[in-house]
Each structure stands twice: as C-alpha cells, then as structure tokens.
Coordinates of all heavy atoms in Angstrom, one line a residue:
L1 N 0.8 -1.2 0.0 CA 0.0 -0.1 0.0 C 0.9 1.3 0.0 O 1.9 1.2 0.7 CB -0.9 0.0 1.3 CG -1.9 1.1 1.3 CD1 -3.2 0.6 0.9 CD2 -1.9 1.7 2.9
E2 N 0.5 2.2 -0.8 CA 1.2 3.5 -0.8 C 0.6 4.6 -0.1 O -0.6 4.9 -0.4 CB 1.6 3.9 -2.2 CG 2.5 5.1 -2.3 CD 2.9 5.5 -3.7 OE1 2.5 4.9 -4.7 OE2 3.8 6.4 -3.8
L3 N 1.3 5.2 0.9 CA 0.7 6.4 1.6 C 1.1 7.6 0.8 O 2.3 7.8 0.6 CB 1.2 6.4 3.0 CG 0.8 7.7 3.9 CD1 -0.7 7.9 3.9 CD2 1.4 7.5 5.2
K4 N 0.1 8.4 0.3 CA 0.5 9.6 -0.5 C -0.1 10.9 0.2 O -1.3 10.8 0.7 CB -0.1 9.5 -1.9 CG 0.5 8.4 -2.6 CD 0.5 8.4 -4.1 CE 0.9 9.6 -4.7 NZ 2.2 9.4 -5.6
R5 N 0.6 11.8 0.3 CA 0.2 13.2 0.7 C -0.5 13.2 2.1 O -1.7 13.8 2.1 CB -0.6 13.8 -0.4 CG 0.2 14.1 -1.6 CD -0.5 14.7 -2.7 NE 0.4 15.0 -3.8 CZ 0.7 14.1 -4.8 NH1 0.2 12.9 -4.8 NH2 1.5 14.6 -5.7
L6 N 0.0 12.8 3.1 CA -0.4 12.8 4.4 C -0.1 14.4 4.8 O 1.0 14.8 4.8 CB 0.2 12.0 5.4 CG -0.2 12.0 6.9 CD1 -1.6 11.8 7.0 CD2 0.6 11.2 7.7
S7 N -1.2 15.1 5.3 CA -1.1 16.5 5.5 C -2.1 17.0 6.6 O -3.3 16.5 6.5 CB -1.2 17.4 4.3 OG -1.0 18.7 4.7
V8 N -1.6 17.7 7.5 CA -2.5 18.4 8.5 C -2.5 19.9 8.4 O -1.3 20.3 8.4 CB -2.3 17.8 9.9 CG1 -3.1 18.5 10.9 CG2 -2.4 16.3 10.1
S9 N -3.6 20.5 8.3 CA -3.5 22.0 8.1 C -2.9 22.6 9.4 O -2.8 22.1 10.5 CB -5.0 22.6 8.0 OG -5.6 22.4 9.1
R10 N -2.2 23.8 9.2 CA -1.3 24.4 10.1 C -2.2 24.7 11.5 O -1.5 24.4 12.6 CB -0.9 25.7 9.6 CG 0.3 25.6 8.6 CD 0.9 26.9 8.3 NE 1.8 27.0 7.2 CZ 3.0 26.3 7.2 NH1 3.4 25.8 8.2 NH2 3.8 26.4 6.1
E11 N -3.4 25.0 11.3 CA -4.1 25.3 12.6 C -4.5 24.1 13.5 O -4.8 24.3 14.6 CB -5.4 26.1 12.2 CG -6.4 25.4 11.4 CD -6.2 25.6 9.9 OE1 -5.3 26.1 9.5 OE2 -7.2 25.2 9.2
H12 N -4.3 22.9 12.9 CA -4.5 21.7 13.6 C -3.3 20.9 13.9 O -3.4 19.9 14.5 CB -5.6 20.8 12.9 CG -6.8 21.6 12.7 ND1 -7.7 21.7 13.7 CD2 -7.4 22.0 11.5 CE1 -8.8 22.3 13.3 NE2 -8.7 22.5 11.9
R13 N -2.1 21.4 13.7 CA -0.8 20.7 13.9 C -0.6 20.7 15.4 O -1.1 21.5 16.1 CB 0.2 21.2 13.1 CG 0.1 20.9 11.6 CD 1.3 21.6 10.8 NE 0.9 21.3 9.5 CZ 1.5 22.0 8.4 NH1 2.5 22.8 8.7 NH2 1.2 21.7 7.1
G14 N 0.3 19.7 15.8 CA 0.6 19.8 17.2 C -0.4 19.0 18.1 O -0.2 19.0 19.4
R15 N -1.3 18.4 17.5 CA -2.5 17.8 18.4 C -2.4 16.2 18.3 O -3.3 15.5 18.7 CB -3.8 18.2 18.0 CG -3.9 19.7 18.1 CD -5.4 20.1 17.7 NE -5.5 21.6 17.7 CZ -6.5 22.2 17.2 NH1 -7.6 21.6 16.8 NH2 -6.7 23.5 17.3
G16 N -1.4 15.7 17.5 CA -1.3 14.2 17.3 C -2.1 13.7 16.2 O -2.3 12.5 16.0
L17 N -2.7 14.6 15.3 CA -3.6 14.2 14.3 C -2.8 13.3 13.2 O -3.3 12.3 12.7 CB -4.3 15.2 13.7 CG -5.2 16.0 14.5 CD1 -5.7 17.3 13.8 CD2 -6.5 15.1 14.9
A18 N -1.5 13.8 12.8 CA -0.8 13.1 11.9 C -0.4 11.8 12.4 O -0.4 10.8 11.6 CB 0.5 13.9 11.5
R19 N 0.0 11.7 13.6 CA 0.3 10.3 14.2 C -0.8 9.4 14.2 O -0.8 8.3 13.9 CB 0.9 10.6 15.6 CG 1.4 9.4 16.3 CD 2.1 9.6 17.7 NE 1.4 10.7 18.5 CZ 1.8 11.9 18.8 NH1 2.9 12.3 18.2 NH2 1.1 12.7 19.5
A20 N -2.0 10.0 14.6 CA -3.3 9.1 14.6 C -3.6 8.6 13.1 O -4.0 7.5 12.9 CB -4.5 9.9 15.1
L21 N -3.5 9.5 12.1 CA -3.7 9.3 10.8 C -2.9 8.2 10.3 O -3.1 7.3 9.6 CB -3.7 10.4 9.9 CG -4.8 11.5 10.1 CD1 -4.5 12.7 9.3 CD2 -6.1 10.9 9.5
C22 N -1.6 8.3 10.7 CA -0.6 7.3 10.2 C -0.9 5.9 10.9 O -0.9 5.0 10.2 CB 0.9 7.8 10.6 SG 2.2 6.9 9.8
R23 N -1.2 5.8 12.1 CA -1.6 4.6 12.8 C -2.8 4.0 12.1 O -3.0 2.8 11.9 CB -1.9 4.8 14.2 CG -0.6 4.9 15.2 CD -0.9 4.8 16.6 NE -2.1 5.8 17.1 CZ -1.8 7.0 17.6 NH1 -0.5 7.2 17.8 NH2 -2.8 7.7 18.0
E24 N -3.8 4.9 11.7 CA -5.0 4.4 11.0 C -4.6 3.7 9.7 O -5.2 2.7 9.3 CB -6.0 5.5 10.9 CG -7.3 5.2 10.4 CD -8.2 4.3 11.4 OE1 -7.9 4.4 12.6 OE2 -9.0 3.6 10.8
V25 N -3.7 4.4 8.9 CA -3.4 3.8 7.7 C -2.7 2.5 7.8 O -3.0 1.5 7.1 CB -2.3 4.8 6.9 CG1 -1.7 4.1 5.7 CG2 -3.2 6.0 6.5
L26 N -1.8 2.4 8.8 CA -1.2 1.1 9.1 C -2.2 0.1 9.5 O -2.0 -1.1 9.1 CB 0.0 1.2 10.1 CG 1.2 2.0 9.7 CD1 2.0 2.4 11.0 CD2 1.9 1.6 8.5
G27 N -3.1 0.4 10.4 CA -4.1 -0.5 10.8 C -5.1 -1.0 9.6 O -5.4 -2.1 9.4
F28 N -5.3 0.1 8.7 CA -6.2 -0.3 7.6 C -5.4 -1.2 6.7 O -6.0 -2.3 6.1 CB -6.4 1.1 6.8 CG -7.1 0.9 5.5 CD1 -8.4 0.9 5.3 CD2 -6.3 0.7 4.3 CE1 -9.0 0.8 4.1 CE2 -7.0 0.6 3.0 CZ -8.3 0.6 3.0
A29 N -4.1 -1.0 6.4 CA -3.4 -1.9 5.6 C -3.2 -3.3 6.1 O -3.4 -4.3 5.5 CB -1.9 -1.3 5.4
R30 N -2.9 -3.4 7.5 CA -2.9 -4.7 8.2 C -4.2 -5.6 8.0 O -4.2 -6.6 7.7 CB -2.6 -4.6 9.7 CG -1.1 -4.4 9.9 CD -0.9 -4.4 11.5 NE 0.4 -4.1 11.7 CZ 0.8 -2.9 12.0 NH1 0.0 -1.9 12.3 NH2 2.1 -2.5 12.2
A31 N -5.3 -4.8 8.2 CA -6.6 -5.5 8.2 C -7.0 -6.0 6.8 O -7.9 -6.9 6.8 CB -7.7 -4.5 8.7
R32 N -6.4 -5.5 5.8 CA -6.7 -5.8 4.5 C -5.6 -6.7 3.9 O -5.7 -7.0 2.7 CB -7.0 -4.7 3.6 CG -8.4 -4.0 4.0 CD -8.5 -2.6 3.6 NE -9.8 -2.1 4.0 CZ -10.1 -1.8 5.3 NH1 -9.3 -1.9 6.2 NH2 -11.5 -1.4 5.4
G33 N -4.7 -7.2 4.7 CA -3.7 -8.2 4.3 C -2.5 -7.6 3.7 O -1.7 -8.4 3.0
Y34 N -2.2 -6.3 3.6 CA -1.1 -5.8 3.1 C 0.1 -6.1 3.8 O 0.0 -6.1 5.2 CB -1.2 -4.3 2.8 CG -2.1 -3.7 1.7 CD1 -3.4 -3.4 2.0 CD2 -1.7 -3.7 0.4 CE1 -4.3 -3.1 1.1 CE2 -2.6 -3.3 -0.5 CZ -3.9 -3.0 -0.2 OH -4.8 -2.6 -1.2
G35 N 1.2 -6.3 3.3 CA 2.5 -6.7 3.9 C 3.4 -5.5 4.2 O 4.2 -5.5 5.1
T36 N 3.2 -4.5 3.4 CA 4.1 -3.4 3.6 C 3.3 -2.0 3.2 O 2.5 -2.0 2.3 CB 5.3 -3.5 2.5 OG1 5.8 -4.8 2.7 CG2 6.2 -2.4 2.5
V37 N 3.7 -1.0 3.7 CA 3.3 0.4 3.5 C 4.6 1.2 3.0 O 5.6 1.1 3.7 CB 2.5 1.0 4.6 CG1 2.2 2.4 4.1 CG2 1.3 0.3 5.0
V38 N 4.5 1.8 1.8 CA 5.7 2.6 1.4 C 5.2 4.1 1.3 O 4.0 4.4 1.1 CB 6.1 2.1 0.0 CG1 6.7 0.6 0.2 CG2 5.1 2.1 -1.0
L39 N 6.1 4.9 1.2 CA 5.8 6.3 1.1 C 7.1 7.2 0.7 O 8.2 6.5 0.8 CB 5.3 7.1 2.4 CG 6.1 7.1 3.6 CD1 7.0 8.3 3.6 CD2 5.2 6.9 4.8
S40 N 7.0 8.3 0.2 CA 8.2 9.1 -0.1 C 7.9 10.4 0.5 O 6.8 10.9 0.6 CB 8.3 9.3 -1.6 OG 8.5 8.0 -2.2
T41 N 9.0 11.2 0.8 CA 8.9 12.7 1.4 C 10.2 13.2 1.1 O 11.3 12.6 0.9 CB 8.6 12.6 2.9 OG1 8.3 13.9 3.4 CG2 9.8 12.1 3.7
S42 N 10.2 14.6 1.0 CA 11.4 15.3 0.6 C 12.3 15.4 1.8 O 12.0 15.4 3.1 CB 11.1 16.6 0.1 OG 10.7 17.6 1.0
M43 N 13.6 15.8 1.5 CA 14.6 15.9 2.5 C 14.3 17.2 3.4 O 14.8 17.2 4.6 CB 15.9 16.2 1.9 CG 16.0 17.4 0.9 SD 17.6 17.6 0.0 CE 18.6 18.1 1.3
V44 N 13.5 18.1 3.0 CA 13.2 19.3 3.8 C 12.0 19.0 4.9 O 11.8 19.7 5.8 CB 12.8 20.6 3.0 CG1 14.1 20.9 2.1 CG2 11.6 20.3 2.2
Q45 N 11.3 17.8 4.7 CA 10.3 17.6 5.6 C 10.7 16.7 6.8 O 10.3 15.6 7.0 CB 9.2 16.7 4.7 CG 8.6 17.4 3.6 CD 7.8 18.7 4.1 OE1 7.1 18.5 5.1 NE2 7.7 19.7 3.2
V46 N 11.5 17.4 7.5 CA 12.1 16.8 8.7 C 11.2 16.3 9.8 O 11.3 15.1 10.3 CB 13.3 17.6 9.4 CG1 14.0 17.0 10.6 CG2 14.4 18.0 8.4
V47 N 10.2 17.0 10.0 CA 9.2 16.6 11.0 C 8.4 15.4 10.4 O 8.2 14.4 11.3 CB 8.1 17.7 11.3 CG1 7.0 17.3 12.2 CG2 8.9 18.9 11.9
A48 N 8.1 15.3 9.2 CA 7.5 14.1 8.7 C 8.5 12.8 8.7 O 7.9 11.7 9.1 CB 7.2 14.4 7.2
Q49 N 9.7 13.1 8.5 CA 10.6 11.9 8.6 C 10.6 11.4 10.0 O 10.6 10.2 10.2 CB 12.0 12.4 8.3 CG 12.1 12.8 6.8 CD 13.4 13.5 6.5 OE1 14.5 13.2 7.1 NE2 13.4 14.6 5.7
R50 N 10.5 12.3 11.0 CA 10.6 11.8 12.4 C 9.2 11.1 12.7 O 9.3 10.1 13.5 CB 10.7 13.0 13.2 CG 12.1 13.6 13.4 CD 12.3 14.6 14.6 NE 13.4 15.5 14.3 CZ 13.2 16.8 14.2 NH1 12.1 17.3 14.4 NH2 14.2 17.6 13.9
L51 N 8.2 11.6 12.3 CA 6.9 11.0 12.4 C 6.9 9.6 11.8 O 6.6 8.6 12.5 CB 5.7 11.8 11.8 CG 4.4 11.1 11.5 CD1 3.7 10.9 12.9 CD2 3.5 11.8 10.6
Y52 N 7.3 9.5 10.5 CA 7.3 8.1 9.9 C 8.2 7.1 10.6 O 7.9 6.0 10.9 CB 7.6 8.2 8.6 CG 6.6 9.1 7.7 CD1 7.1 10.1 6.8 CD2 5.3 9.0 7.9 CE1 6.2 10.9 6.1 CE2 4.4 9.8 7.1 CZ 4.8 10.7 6.4 OH 3.9 11.4 5.6
E53 N 9.4 7.6 11.0 CA 10.4 6.7 11.8 C 9.8 6.3 13.0 O 10.0 5.1 13.4 CB 11.7 7.5 11.8 CG 12.4 7.5 10.5 CD 13.6 8.4 10.4 OE1 14.0 9.1 11.3 OE2 14.1 8.6 9.2
A54 N 9.2 7.1 13.7 CA 8.5 6.8 15.0 C 7.4 5.8 14.9 O 7.1 5.1 15.8 CB 8.0 8.1 15.7
Q55 N 6.8 5.6 13.7 CA 5.7 4.8 13.5 C 6.2 3.4 12.9 O 5.3 2.5 12.6 CB 4.7 5.3 12.4 CG 4.1 6.6 13.0 CD 3.2 6.3 14.2 OE1 2.4 5.4 14.3 NE2 3.3 7.2 15.2
G56 N 7.5 3.3 12.7 CA 8.1 2.0 12.3 C 8.5 2.0 10.9 O 9.0 1.0 10.4
F57 N 8.5 3.2 10.2 CA 9.0 3.2 8.8 C 10.6 3.3 8.9 O 11.1 3.8 9.8 CB 8.6 4.4 8.1 CG 7.1 4.3 7.6 CD1 6.0 4.5 8.6 CD2 6.7 3.9 6.4 CE1 4.8 4.5 8.1 CE2 5.5 3.7 6.0 CZ 4.4 4.0 6.9
R58 N 11.2 2.8 7.8 CA 12.6 2.9 7.8 C 13.0 3.4 6.4 O 12.3 3.1 5.4 CB 13.4 1.6 8.0 CG 13.0 0.5 7.1 CD 13.7 -0.8 7.7 NE 13.1 -2.0 7.0 CZ 13.5 -2.5 5.8 NH1 14.4 -1.7 5.0 NH2 13.0 -3.4 5.2
R59 N 14.0 4.2 6.2 CA 14.5 4.8 5.0 C 15.0 3.7 4.1 O 16.1 3.0 4.6 CB 15.3 6.0 5.2 CG 15.5 6.7 3.8 CD 16.4 7.9 3.9 NE 16.2 8.8 5.0 CZ 17.2 9.7 5.5 NH1 18.2 9.9 4.7 NH2 16.9 10.4 6.5
V60 N 14.6 3.6 3.0 CA 15.2 2.5 2.1 C 15.8 3.0 0.8 O 16.4 2.1 0.0 CB 14.1 1.5 1.8 CG1 13.5 0.7 3.1 CG2 12.9 2.0 1.0
G61 N 15.8 4.3 0.6 CA 16.4 4.8 -0.6 C 16.2 6.3 -0.7 O 15.5 6.9 0.0
T62 N 16.8 6.7 -1.7 CA 16.8 8.2 -2.0 C 16.7 8.3 -3.6 O 17.2 7.5 -4.3 CB 17.9 9.1 -1.5 OG1 19.1 8.6 -2.0 CG2 18.0 9.0 -0.1
S63 N 16.1 9.4 -4.0 CA 16.2 9.7 -5.5 C 16.1 11.2 -5.6 O 16.0 12.0 -4.6 CB 15.1 9.1 -6.2 OG 13.8 9.5 -5.7
Y64 N 16.3 11.6 -6.8 CA 16.0 13.1 -7.1 C 14.9 13.2 -8.1 O 14.8 12.5 -9.0 CB 17.4 13.6 -7.9 CG 18.6 13.5 -7.2 CD1 19.4 12.4 -7.1 CD2 18.9 14.5 -6.1 CE1 20.5 12.3 -6.3 CE2 20.1 14.4 -5.3 CZ 20.9 13.4 -5.5 OH 22.0 13.2 -4.7
P65 N 14.1 14.2 -7.8 CA 12.8 14.5 -8.5 C 13.0 14.9 -10.0 O 12.2 14.8 -10.9 CB 12.0 15.5 -7.8 CG 13.1 16.3 -7.2 CD 14.2 15.2 -6.7
S66 N 14.2 15.5 -10.3 CA 14.4 16.1 -11.7 C 15.9 16.3 -11.8 O 16.7 16.2 -10.8 CB 13.6 17.3 -11.9 OG 14.1 18.3 -10.9
L67 N 16.2 16.7 -13.0 CA 17.8 17.2 -13.3 C 18.0 18.3 -12.4 O 19.1 18.4 -11.8 CB 17.9 17.5 -14.7 CG 19.3 18.0 -15.1 CD1 20.3 17.0 -14.8 CD2 19.3 18.4 -16.6
L68 N 17.1 19.3 -12.2 CA 17.3 20.5 -11.4 C 17.5 20.0 -9.9 O 18.3 20.5 -9.3 CB 16.1 21.5 -11.5 CG 16.3 22.7 -10.6 CD1 17.6 23.5 -11.0 CD2 15.1 23.6 -10.8
G69 N 16.6 19.1 -9.5 CA 16.8 18.6 -8.2 C 18.1 17.8 -8.0 O 18.8 18.0 -6.9
T70 N 18.7 17.2 -9.0 CA 20.0 16.6 -9.0 C 21.1 17.7 -8.8 O 22.0 17.6 -8.0 CB 20.3 15.7 -10.1 OG1 19.3 14.7 -10.2 CG2 21.7 15.1 -10.1
L71 N 21.0 18.7 -9.6 CA 21.9 19.8 -9.5 C 22.0 20.6 -8.2 O 22.9 21.0 -7.6 CB 21.7 20.8 -10.6 CG 21.9 20.3 -12.1 CD1 21.4 21.3 -13.1 CD2 23.3 20.0 -12.3
L72 N 20.7 20.6 -7.5 CA 20.6 21.3 -6.3 C 20.7 20.3 -5.1 O 20.6 20.8 -3.9 CB 19.2 22.0 -6.2 CG 18.9 23.1 -7.2 CD1 17.5 23.6 -7.0 CD2 20.0 24.3 -7.0
N73 N 20.9 19.1 -5.4 CA 21.0 18.0 -4.5 C 19.8 18.0 -3.5 O 19.9 17.9 -2.3 CB 22.3 18.2 -3.5 CG 22.6 17.0 -2.7 OD1 22.4 15.8 -3.2 ND2 23.2 17.1 -1.5
F74 N 18.7 18.1 -4.2 CA 17.4 18.0 -3.5 C 16.8 16.5 -3.6 O 16.6 16.1 -4.8 CB 16.4 18.9 -4.2 CG 15.0 18.9 -3.4 CD1 14.9 19.7 -2.3 CD2 14.0 18.2 -3.9 CE1 13.6 19.8 -1.6 CE2 12.8 18.2 -3.2 CZ 12.6 18.9 -2.0
Q75 N 16.8 15.8 -2.5 CA 16.5 14.5 -2.5 C 15.1 14.2 -2.0 O 14.6 14.9 -1.2 CB 17.6 13.8 -1.6 CG 18.9 13.9 -2.0 CD 19.9 13.1 -1.0 OE1 19.9 13.1 0.1 NE2 21.0 12.6 -1.7
I76 N 14.6 13.1 -2.6 CA 13.4 12.6 -2.1 C 13.8 11.2 -1.3 O 14.5 10.4 -1.9 CB 12.4 12.1 -3.2 CG1 12.1 13.4 -4.1 CG2 11.2 11.4 -2.8 CD1 11.3 14.5 -3.3
F77 N 13.3 11.1 -0.1 CA 13.6 9.9 0.7 C 12.5 8.8 0.6 O 11.2 9.3 0.7 CB 13.8 10.2 2.2 CG 15.0 11.1 2.4 CD1 14.9 12.0 3.4 CD2 16.1 11.1 1.6 CE1 16.0 12.9 3.7 CE2 17.1 12.0 1.9 CZ 17.1 12.9 3.0
H78 N 12.6 7.7 0.4 CA 11.7 6.6 0.3 C 11.7 5.8 1.6 O 12.8 5.4 2.0 CB 12.0 5.7 -1.0 CG 12.2 6.5 -2.3 ND1 11.0 7.1 -2.9 CD2 13.2 7.0 -2.9 CE1 11.4 7.7 -3.9 NE2 12.8 7.7 -4.0
Y79 N 10.6 5.5 2.1 CA 10.3 4.8 3.3 C 9.5 3.6 3.0 O 8.6 3.5 2.2 CB 9.7 5.7 4.4 CG 10.6 6.7 5.0 CD1 10.7 7.9 4.4 CD2 11.2 6.4 6.2 CE1 11.8 8.8 5.0 CE2 12.1 7.4 6.8 CZ 12.3 8.5 6.2 OH 13.1 9.5 6.7
R80 N 9.7 2.7 4.1 CA 8.9 1.4 4.0 C 8.6 0.9 5.5 O 9.5 1.1 6.3 CB 9.8 0.4 3.3 CG 9.4 -1.1 3.4 CD 10.3 -2.0 2.8 NE 9.8 -3.4 2.7 CZ 9.6 -4.0 1.5 NH1 9.8 -3.4 0.4 NH2 9.1 -5.1 1.6
C81 N 7.5 0.4 5.6 CA 7.1 -0.2 6.8 C 6.6 -1.6 6.6 O 5.5 -1.7 6.0 CB 6.0 0.7 7.6 SG 5.5 0.1 9.3
D82 N 7.3 -2.5 7.1 CA 6.9 -4.0 7.0 C 5.9 -4.4 8.0 O 6.3 -4.2 9.2 CB 8.0 -4.9 7.0 CG 9.0 -4.7 5.8 OD1 8.4 -4.5 4.7 OD2 10.2 -4.6 5.9
L83 N 4.7 -4.8 7.7 CA 3.7 -5.0 8.7 C 3.6 -6.4 9.2 O 3.0 -6.6 10.3 CB 2.3 -4.8 8.0 CG 2.1 -3.3 7.5 CD1 0.8 -3.2 6.7 CD2 2.3 -2.2 8.4
G84 N 4.4 -7.4 8.6 CA 4.3 -8.7 9.2 C 3.0 -9.3 8.9 O 2.2 -8.8 8.2
D85 N 2.8 -10.5 9.6 CA 1.5 -11.3 9.1 C 0.5 -11.0 10.3 O -0.6 -11.6 10.3 CB 1.8 -12.7 9.1 CG 2.4 -13.3 10.3 OD1 2.4 -12.8 11.4 OD2 2.7 -14.6 10.3
G86 N 0.7 -10.1 11.2 CA -0.2 -9.8 12.2 C -0.3 -10.7 13.4 O -1.2 -10.6 14.2
T87 N 0.5 -11.7 13.4 CA 0.5 -12.6 14.7 C 1.6 -12.3 15.5 O 2.5 -11.4 15.3 CB 0.7 -14.0 14.2 OG1 2.0 -14.2 13.4 CG2 -0.4 -14.5 13.2

C-alpha cells in the first residue's frame, strides 16, 4: 500500500492528528492483508521523517525528482514499513 500526501493543516498541527492518521493507515493496511506500506517525502520535511520513523518506517532509498533536483542536491527519501503477518 502506498501512503500519499499525508497532511494536517497548520491550525490543527501539534495535536497528534498526523500520528493518529498514520496509525490508522497502518491498521487499515494490516486489516486488508497488505504486508508493506511505502511512502516518499522530501529531505526538507524533517518533521514528517521523524513521524514516519517513530511509526516504524525505515528509509530504504533516495532519489532526485528532476535534473534540477540533482543539480541542487534536493533528495526524495523513500520509506517502507513492513507490517508482518499480524501474529
């Protein structure tokens, strides 16, 4: 399962909503038999990286979004969370 564009509006940040949404996605994936959840985030999204890592995601790779991104050394980080078989 791929998690795309998790976002909480500024006025609602700091309340644990992103953490709760992330847990909900992982629970949804487990309940439906997915073995892995993957996502990507940019190098500047440090708070998001911490959130994902705290939820069990591990960084599995990096890429550049474009030639300009390569020239500017702007990286996209790829994450993976292995869910196991639920036992």
Side-chain angles (χ1 to χ4, degrees):
L1 182 98
E2 183 177 11
L3 173 57
K4 294 199 59 113
R5 293 182 177 84
L6 175 66
S7 180
V8 174
S9 63
R10 287 195 192 282
E11 64 268 16
H12 297 292
R13 291 180 187 167
R15 300 179 187 176
L17 294 173
R19 186 173 39 254
L21 287 168
C22 195
R23 280 194 308 261
E24 188 67 25
V25 167
L26 294 174
F28 175 93
R30 276 189 192 96
R32 284 155 183 80
Y34 289 94
T36 304
V37 177
V38 298
L39 62 87
S40 299
T41 192
S42 75
M43 62 186 284
V44 299
Q45 298 294 328
V46 177
V47 174
Q49 293 167 40
R50 285 190 206 126
L51 167 73
Y52 298 135
E53 290 167 4
Q55 296 298 312
F57 285 84
R58 60 185 168 80
R59 191 183 314 171
V60 295
T62 60
S63 64
Y64 296 95
S66 64
L67 177 58
L68 180 59
T70 302
L71 294 171
L72 296 174
N73 196 33
F74 183 84
Q75 297 177 327
I76 301 297
F77 297 149
H78 305 284
Y79 282 86
R80 170 185 185 113
C81 183
D82 294 315
L83 302 175
D85 62 6
T87 60

